[in-house]
Amino acid sequence: MSEQTQRRSTSQTRRVVVVGAGMAGVQTAVALREQGYTGTVTLIGAEPHQPYDRPPLSKAVLLGKSEGSAFEVDFEALGIDLALGREALGVRPADHELDTEGGPVPYDVLVLATGAEPITLPGTEGVPGVHLLRTLDDAERLRPVLARQHDIVVVGAGWIGAEFATAAREAGCAVTVVEAADRPLAGALPAEVAAPMAAWYADSGADLRTHARVAAVEPGAVVLDDGSRVPAGAVVVGIGARPATAWLAGSGITLGAHGEVLADERLRTTVPDVYAVGDCASFPSGRYGERLLVHHWDNALQGPRTVAAGILGETDAVYDPVPYFWSEQFGRFVQYAGHHAVADRMVWRGDPSGPSWSVCWLRADRLVALLAVGRPRDLAQGRRLVEAGTRMDADALSDPARPLKTATAAPGQEAR
């Protein structure tokens, strides 16, 4: 029997406990079964609801087009034990036990998949009419607000703020978006890329106010730091999210600067027999030469396969994806792949004032990231080129009529 086969055989007798019943947690449990794991798998979720997908919350569920977004997974048929409505309280690695509201849960292998939690606006906790949008319950509370067509103030012009503003305008609400920075998506994209997106708000009938901070929330109004008052039947806060890891204090599991679990290239934590995956964890990227913390759906979908392989003894399974996400806002389909922070050159494809355009980022002459607005073919081709580390011809790349996959550099050609 080979060493790897022996490790795989030994792994089958262990109890795997996955804490977090979102995409990353559910996919970890499913991946274990798909890869042949026959031992005990327990999936623990803090919410009482059947595990569900989050992206529809800001769209179909919010607008009443869907009652929910439960995963189409037959947990019983897969032999996955669900323990819902049980918040995780702590981990005792020396005892191999997870502490929950329902009591301690022993494990042989623990997978942390608790995701991220929204950042609250200081001074608004418990204030009536102030909402977050992260959970199914949040969406259910907001649905009648949209149905009554309230005046709505959205705090934050990031991805979630733009998606909610889109839904609120579709529902017929008057929408004002207040953003402390000078542009939307200030923390996500360079100024020259995010700037054209500001016009999308006005085109949809939403009022975007930049350089604006909330001073107070009063009944029926939001007071800004310049003293102006904005009518508000409801306030929706979308100013970011942070890893949901505060409950790990004292566990010995090392956290990073943003509170995320520091996982290695195989998504193992600093504590034996504990993995971390999805929004709650960062990982070192050999592709980009730095540690990445990716708060997007695709990361929660892909990472579990590496975790399952590691649990099954596949020691060569390394996680180094090309990050990918999408957003539907103001009638536009926005997609992004890669990591542009390492780039040294940016190339436009198309007119950013038009309905469809792309931006490509190069390091040396290799494509490292791209943003596509209404150009899904660019994204599909570009994602493969980023994955392959293909050298590109920047002049050819700038021609939006030319398929991106044909803009590669010829052998020996210098970058231009």
Side-chain angles (χ1 to χ4, degrees), residues 165-192:
T166 299
R169 286 297 301 138
E170 185 175 335
C173 301
V175 177
T176 302
V177 181
V178 298
E179 169 57 52
D182 62 348
R183 62 189 187 276
L185 295 167
L189 296 173
E192 60 268 45

Side-chain angles (χ1 to χ4, degrees), residues 4-171:
Q4 182 166 304
T5 302
Q6 190 171 20
R7 285 196 303 267
R8 191 178 184 94
S9 177
T10 302
S11 74
Q12 300 288 2
T13 63
R14 295 183 294 172
R15 298 164 296 182
V16 177
V17 174
V18 182
V19 56
M23 172 61 78
V26 168
Q27 288 302 318
T28 297
V30 171
L32 282 165
R33 294 302 189 219
E34 287 180 344
Q35 295 182 31
Y37 181 75
T38 58
T40 300
V41 178
T42 302
L43 182 63
I44 296 177
E47 297 180 54
H49 309 292
Q50 191 77 359
Y52 60 88
D53 202 6
R54 294 189 188 279
L57 298 185
S58 62
K59 306 174 185 76
V61 175
L62 194 60
L63 291 170
K65 298 177 180 179
S66 173
E67 290 303 315
S69 56
F71 291 111
E72 294 183 1
V73 175
D74 190 335
F75 295 99
E76 184 176 357
L78 289 173
I80 298 169
D81 300 323
L82 291 182
L84 305 177
R86 296 181 68 173
E87 185 176 356
L89 303 176
V91 181
R92 289 176 284 114
D95 299 324
H96 272 62
E97 284 193 334
L98 170 75
D99 289 320
T100 75
E101 285 182 325
V105 179
Y107 68 85
D108 294 307
V109 179
L110 179 66
V111 181
L112 307 177
T114 47
E117 56 194 4
I119 297 171
T120 58
L121 188 65
T124 62
E125 294 87 344
V127 175
V130 177
H131 300 262
L132 299 169
L133 180 54
R134 183 72 181 181
T135 68
L136 180 59
D137 288 339
D138 292 337
E140 293 291 354
R141 282 189 288 266
L142 276 166
R143 189 154 65 176
V145 172
L146 297 193
R148 291 194 292 268
Q149 298 185 333
H150 280 293
D151 290 337
I152 292 177
V153 171
V154 180
V155 183
W159 299 114
I160 190 66
E163 290 189 1
F164 179 81
T166 299
R169 286 297 301 138
E170 185 175 335

Side-chain angles (χ1 to χ4, degrees), residues 253-311:
I253 296 169
T254 304
L255 304 182
H258 302 285
E260 82 280 12
V261 178
L262 295 182
D264 68 7
E265 71 280 1
R266 294 180 176 86
L267 300 181
R268 301 171 299 193
T269 73
T270 54
V271 168
D273 301 319
V274 181
Y275 292 77
V277 65
D279 292 3
C280 72
S282 66
F283 56 91
S285 171
R287 184 189 311 279
Y288 293 109
E290 60 185 63
R291 181 169 284 274
L292 300 183
L293 175 59
V294 181
H295 281 186
H296 293 295
W297 186 90
D298 193 64
N299 179 50
L301 175 68
Q302 304 296 340
R305 298 169 189 166
T306 300
V307 172
I311 292 172

